[in-house]
Amino acid sequence: MPTIKPISDLRNNFNQISEICHKDGEPVFITKNGQGDLVVMSMALYERQQALLDLYQKLGEAEAQSNSGAERISHKDLMKNLREKING
């Protein structure tokens, strides 16, 4: 269940909101005049979400490349090429 707090709690109870973000590993939704206004989250959660977005973008690019009919290389040949580069 999401944690929803009024914006006044951000000013008056910042440490409590920070603790919730770190302890639960979930964002806290902040309302202003009864409407959603902000989302507060820990740096760790933010970095995880950014990493996931980056991964999804790369997977999308790889899928598009795969569907475009680009030349492919087998796993065996790829590993052989990598070993040759590493070993000289």
Side-chain angles (χ1 to χ4, degrees):
M1 180 108 194
T3 303
I4 302 171
K5 298 282 186 181
I7 200 161
S8 59
D9 278 8
L10 190 58
R11 178 182 55 246
N12 299 329
N13 301 315
F14 176 78
N15 289 335
Q16 178 190 20
I17 291 174
S18 176
E19 184 179 321
I20 291 169
C21 290
H22 290 284
K23 181 182 66 138
D24 297 344
E26 295 289 328
V28 174
F29 297 88
I30 306 295
T31 62
K32 182 177 181 182
N33 299 324
Q35 300 291 319
D37 189 46
L38 300 169
V39 177
V40 178
M41 66 179 73
S42 69
M43 288 287 291
L45 177 60
Y46 176 78
E47 289 171 355
R48 274 197 315 272
Q49 288 184 343
Q50 292 300 310
L52 275 175
L53 287 173
D54 187 44
L55 174 64
Y56 292 147
Q57 180 181 5
K58 289 178 181 177
L59 287 172
E61 291 171 5
E63 184 176 16
Q65 185 180 15
S66 175
N67 291 336
S68 72
E71 183 181 338
R72 298 177 186 205
I73 184 170
S74 71
H75 180 263
K76 182 179 177 180
D77 290 340
L78 174 66
M79 294 306 292
K80 179 182 171 190
N81 291 345
L82 288 174
R83 284 187 187 100
E84 287 174 357
K85 286 182 180 181
I86 291 171
N87 297 328

